[in-house]
Amino acid sequence: MLETPRDHKKFPKAVKVLAAVLATLNCTALSISAQEPASTDVSPGSRLETPATDRAETNSLSQPPAPEPVVPEAQSTDAEPLSQVQSSPAPDADTQSTDAAPLSRVQSSPAPDADTQTTDAAPQAQAPTSPSVDSDEQSTDTAAHPTVSPGTNNFADILTPKTSELFASRGAVRSRVGDLKGAREDFDKAIELDDKNTDAYCGRGYLKLYLGETKSAAADFEKAIQTDPAKTDAYCGRGQARSDLGDETGASADFDYAIKLDPKNAPSYIFRGYHLGRYGETWQAIADYDKTIQLDPTNALAYSYRASARGAVKDHKGAIADLSKVLKFDPKYAWAYYWRGHRRNEIGDRRGAIADYNHYINLKPDDAWGFRGRGFVKQVSGNLNGAIADYTKAIALDPKDTWTFSARGFVRQKLGNTRGSIADYKHAAKLEKLAKIATKSAETKPTTANQTTDGNTSTSESPSDPICELITDADVYSFAQNTLGKAQEEFGKPTTEIKQLLIFRRPGDHCQTVMWDGDKGIFCIFMANKVGDNYFQGNLGHELVHLLNAKLCDPYIEGLCTVFGENTIPEEDPKRAKYRELVLATPFYAETYLMMKELKSKITPASFNSVMNYAAYDPAKQWMHIETDNWLKSMPELDSAETAKIVSAYTDKIKRTMPQDGTYIFKPPTACLKTLPRQH
């Protein structure tokens, strides 16, 4: 018998992860990145990642470009473009590819929605006719440091925070990016320094929830509530802990009270909605997700949870719409492609379903689910040989899955391969029997140190193996301090005061700068390169310039950052040539770099360095761009004419290579520029 793949209702962790967000509610990410801050998957897609309220993104390159992806099968006309999808498996810590085109510019919102923290929430178990998923050398630059913005003078304090507040904020960041062991240490230290720091208790409580230490988490939330009876996120956390412990009444009371305390706090509705859905109140859950989206239309997680709930009530078109919205926030969120493919197949859109599974396989080529899903669509479309090929690939990736053997056996029988069919069915039966024995054994297994009687259950995730790790090399921060000071000397002070800068090593395709919390002045830089490799110094220099304006996403600035990054490397250092090779091999970055390098050599430093002063905000796009005409009008006439000439020569090339996701805005000089009044 074909077994229903896994019980989707056993999925408490997705919401637990939301909590880490609550300690850092107003995160603004600045990234032009392909890869979001590294995450720890709790279930398909739920992530400890970077949220944001007004996300501006900027990345630099990490390694020479990878080949263009090969698009398998036919694409649906409404499928997301593959131009933003990496062609190869996610790189490991030693090898990063570089598709320099920006990918995920998510306008995310505070708290559980997190732009890159989307998750297909608690999807319902599917009928056994279709596969489904359980959703339960640094610079030694010692030049004198120029005057810098307040808060950036003592970078050593960032490595060893002096206050409970700084430890708690660093812990919140580390928990969100997957450095769980480091986060735990920071929260513990914050509480040691101040046992009334409610943010630290809540942050540690949510981390414990994620790790399965449920009763201990509840105690942390209880302590936060005793200290501050009006702390909304503490009630949400305690409610989730109570829900995990089976106290439905207590959980509901906590969620309701959190909403009573702050009816406009969108995350509270997500928690309650998840809880309601968990107990079968799907329509009420949808109503809470609706309320979340009403309060915060950029809350990607709410769309993801609502998509799951809509799918459970057979509103497949509504689920597709929500998942499409999620993918606009995060085009690299693989599980949204998986579930959209599933829903498209439900309404008969086989072409669209295949396209979505293709996306998923591009993003997760070593995961069997994509091949199962695509194989099933091929099967129902009549492409039986294609189905067998996909099922065979899925089996190679996951040889213990009963469903796939049964499905392949069914298709083989259809094709007249009786011997192969019988072999598959026999193997499926054997796997099913072994699974039942394992289940029975687990039920009778005595309690161990990892599974205690107080409601705490350790998870398989190891907090000692971070996906994203804080760089603690003092030389890196010394370089950052000196370099940021030089950047401010040339281009001006940051538009947002930098009070805390954390630099992480995160294997992947791009480096990324994130304004984590503008109000608190917390910024993060995620370096895809290893400290000391050929590109680390240039890329870090590039990212540091982006700190000066977290909302500015413009080709002029990309080129300026790259020129500045190159200049942080001494002329005699071979790494400078390597960095330049990387830049010139990468479309868009090459053109913007060459344009700004030529401008720097042809116009006065005062004219060149003033470019950031002419940033204008576009409320529709929620980004800033350079108003070229205003910049040119501020220059002496010779500089203005030379700038217009050089920019015009690069305009077509930049427009051709500029990412077409609507984030970048490029305004070349207008034809009537010479008629405008000029400053002298």
Side-chain angles (χ1 to χ4, degrees):
M1 175 179 171
L2 192 57
E3 195 174 65
T4 303
R6 309 183 186 172
D7 180 3
H8 296 271
K9 293 186 178 180
K10 295 178 181 177
F11 181 52
K13 285 189 183 176
V15 171
K16 297 173 185 176
V17 140
L18 303 180
V21 185
L22 293 170
T24 53
L25 288 181
N26 297 312
C27 297
T28 300
L30 157 74
S31 94
I32 296 179
S33 89
Q35 294 221 293
E36 59 267 56
S39 63
T40 301
D41 283 344
V42 234
S43 62
S46 23
R47 303 169 181 166
L48 290 166
E49 297 183 2
T50 314
T53 28
D54 10 30
R55 189 161 177 111
E57 304 178 340
T58 74
N59 327 325
S60 56
L61 325 169
S62 65
Q63 295 284 9
E68 286 298 310
V70 176
V71 183
E73 301 283 337
Q75 296 296 312
S76 166
T77 54
D78 61 348
E80 298 294 322
L82 269 174
S83 59
Q84 309 267 35
V85 178
Q86 299 304 311
S87 58
S88 55
D92 59 27
D94 297 318
T95 59
Q96 301 90 31
S97 63
T98 304
D99 181 355
L103 280 175
S104 165
R105 281 189 194 72
V106 181
Q107 306 287 327
S108 77
S109 52
D113 65 298
D115 42 290
T116 41
Q117 184 202 341
T118 55
T119 182
D120 197 353
Q124 303 298 310
Q126 304 297 326
T129 54
S130 163
S132 142
V133 191
D134 182 12
S135 50
D136 239 288
E137 164 184 344
Q138 303 77 288
S139 167
T140 55
D141 187 353
T142 55
H145 177 49
T147 302
V148 296
S149 177
T152 55
N153 296 311
N154 298 308
F155 277 70
D157 291 345
I158 294 168
L159 284 175
T160 54
K162 298 295 189 278
T163 68
S164 176
E165 180 185 5
L166 286 174
F167 272 108
S169 63
R170 192 175 75 174
V173 175
R174 295 173 89 171
S175 70
R176 294 293 307 286
V177 302
D179 184 0
L180 307 186
K181 181 180 179 181
R184 182 70 165 264
E185 292 170 352
D186 281 346
F187 289 135
D188 288 347
K189 185 64 177 180
I191 292 167
E192 177 187 323
L193 292 171
D194 179 5
D195 64 359
K196 296 189 183 302
N197 187 330
T198 57
D199 285 343
Y201 279 111
C202 285
R204 191 174 70 178
Y206 283 122
L207 182 58
K208 288 177 178 178
L209 275 179
Y210 176 78
L211 295 172
E213 302 171 21
T214 313
K215 281 200 169 182
S216 181
D220 276 346
F221 295 124
E222 189 69 43
K223 180 67 175 179
I225 290 169
Q226 290 172 3
T227 304
D228 181 2
K231 193 165 184 62
T232 302
D233 50 329
Y235 287 99
C236 288
R238 190 177 70 176
Q240 185 60 42
R242 286 175 165 177
S243 181
D244 289 352
L245 292 168
D247 181 4
E248 182 180 357
T249 302
S252 296
D254 275 344
F255 296 137
D256 290 344
Y257 193 67
I259 290 170
K260 181 180 178 180
L261 282 172
D262 185 358
K264 293 184 178 180
N265 182 41
S268 299
Y269 293 96
I270 291 190
F271 276 95
R272 190 174 71 178
Y274 174 80
H275 176 72
L276 290 167
R278 197 174 184 184
Y279 287 93
E281 304 291 343
T282 309
W283 288 107
Q284 291 92 326
I286 290 173
D288 272 349
Y289 301 142
D290 289 343
K291 184 65 176 178
T292 305
I293 291 167
Q294 177 188 338
L295 291 168
D296 181 7
T298 65
N299 194 314
L301 193 61
Y303 288 101
S304 187
Y305 275 101
R306 192 173 70 179
S308 176
R310 283 176 162 179
V313 298
K314 307 302 181 185
D315 179 11
H316 300 302
K317 290 185 178 180
I320 290 168
D322 281 344
L323 291 166
S324 296
K325 189 74 172 179
V326 170
L327 288 167
K328 287 188 181 296
F329 292 134
D330 185 359
K332 292 202 71 179
Y333 178 45
W335 285 99
Y337 287 111
Y338 181 94
W339 284 105
R340 192 173 68 175
H342 180 80
R343 301 303 172 198
R344 282 175 164 172
N345 184 57
E346 289 289 324
I347 63 171
D349 180 10
R350 315 292 188 211
R351 181 182 176 88
I354 290 288
D356 279 341
Y357 287 125
N358 289 342
H359 281 296
Y360 181 87
I361 290 167
N362 264 276
L363 293 167
K364 287 182 170 283
D366 297 324
D367 188 272
W369 286 108
F371 294 98
R372 288 190 196 110
R374 192 174 70 180
F376 182 76
V377 177
K378 288 178 178 179
Q379 175 186 326
V380 298
S381 302
N383 180 4
L384 302 185
N385 288 318
I388 287 178
D390 277 345
Y391 290 150
T392 300
K393 179 66 175 178
I395 288 169
L397 293 168
D398 182 5
K400 295 183 179 181
D401 185 74
T402 306
W403 188 96
T404 317
F405 277 100
S406 295
R408 191 176 68 176
F410 176 81
V411 178
R412 281 178 164 175
Q413 186 178 28
K414 282 269 193 181
L415 288 171
N417 182 359
T418 305
R419 180 177 296 181
S421 176
I422 291 172
D424 278 344
Y425 280 129
K426 282 184 175 180
H427 197 78
K430 179 181 178 180
L431 288 172
E432 188 170 14
K433 183 178 180 180
L434 290 172
K436 289 179 179 179
I437 293 172
T439 301
K440 186 174 181 180
S441 175
E443 289 172 351
T444 58
K445 188 176 182 180
T447 299
T448 68
N450 288 333
Q451 189 172 10
T452 66
T453 57
D454 68 351
N456 294 335
T457 304
S458 298
T459 64
S460 60
E461 294 92 350
S462 169
S464 63
D465 186 22
I467 293 172
C468 196
E469 191 169 14
L470 184 69
I471 293 175
T472 58
D473 189 326
D475 288 343
V476 172
Y477 286 87
S478 176
F479 170 79
Q481 179 179 15
N482 292 329
T483 303
L484 183 57
K486 291 173 183 176
Q488 292 177 93
E489 188 177 59
E490 289 187 34
F491 310 118
K493 290 186 177 182
T495 57
T496 301
E497 183 180 354
I498 304 167
K499 297 179 181 178
Q500 191 171 28
L501 173 64
L502 306 174
I503 305 174
F504 290 89
R505 156 76 174 141
R506 183 202 65 201
D509 299 329
H510 291 296
C511 304
Q512 180 181 16
T513 298
V514 177
M515 184 165 74
W516 193 272
D517 187 327
D519 293 336
K520 294 181 179 180
I522 302 172
F523 289 78
C524 301
I525 292 176
F526 297 90
M527 295 299 297
N529 308 99
K530 288 184 174 180
V531 175
D533 77 8
N534 288 327
Y535 314 111
F536 183 89
Q537 186 168 328
N539 276 339
L540 182 53
H542 177 117
E543 296 302 319
L544 287 164
V545 181
H546 280 304
L547 291 172
L548 301 182
N549 189 332
K551 301 294 296 182
L552 188 49
C553 193
D554 184 283
Y556 292 110
I557 304 308
E558 285 304 326
L560 181 144
C561 289
T562 306
V563 171
F564 185 88
E566 178 188 41
N567 288 336
T568 66
I569 309 171
E571 287 278 2
E572 65 276 9
D573 191 332
K575 292 177 182 176
R576 182 171 177 129
K578 289 289 187 182
Y579 181 70
R580 179 181 168 86
E581 287 175 13
L582 168 66
V583 172
L584 294 178
T586 311
F588 180 64
Y589 287 92
E591 288 77 19
T592 55
Y593 160 78
L594 290 171
M595 178 180 72
M596 295 306 287
K597 190 172 182 69
E598 186 173 352
L599 280 174
K600 186 176 178 65
S601 70
K602 297 287 181 67
I603 65 176
T604 61
S607 294
F608 181 83
N609 294 343
S610 68
V611 61
M612 285 192 176
N613 297 335
Y614 299 94
Y617 184 69
D618 185 328
K621 292 180 177 290
Q622 298 185 336
W623 297 92
M624 300 186 80
H625 62 273
I626 300 301
E627 287 287 357
T628 308
D629 287 352
N630 290 342
W631 180 34
L632 268 63
K633 282 189 293 180
S634 73
M635 300 178 185
E637 192 166 348
L638 289 177
D639 282 355
S640 178
E642 190 66 32
T643 299
K645 175 184 174 182
I646 293 170
V647 172
S648 297
Y650 284 94
T651 293
D652 289 342
K653 296 176 183 177
I654 290 173
K655 286 184 174 180
R656 280 199 305 270
T657 59
M658 187 170 72
Q660 299 301 309
D661 60 356
T663 303
Y664 282 102
I665 303 171
F666 182 47
K667 290 194 171 184
T670 62
C672 60
L673 179 65
K674 58 187 178 182
T675 68
L676 299 173
R678 184 178 308 285
Q679 298 177 15
H680 295 282

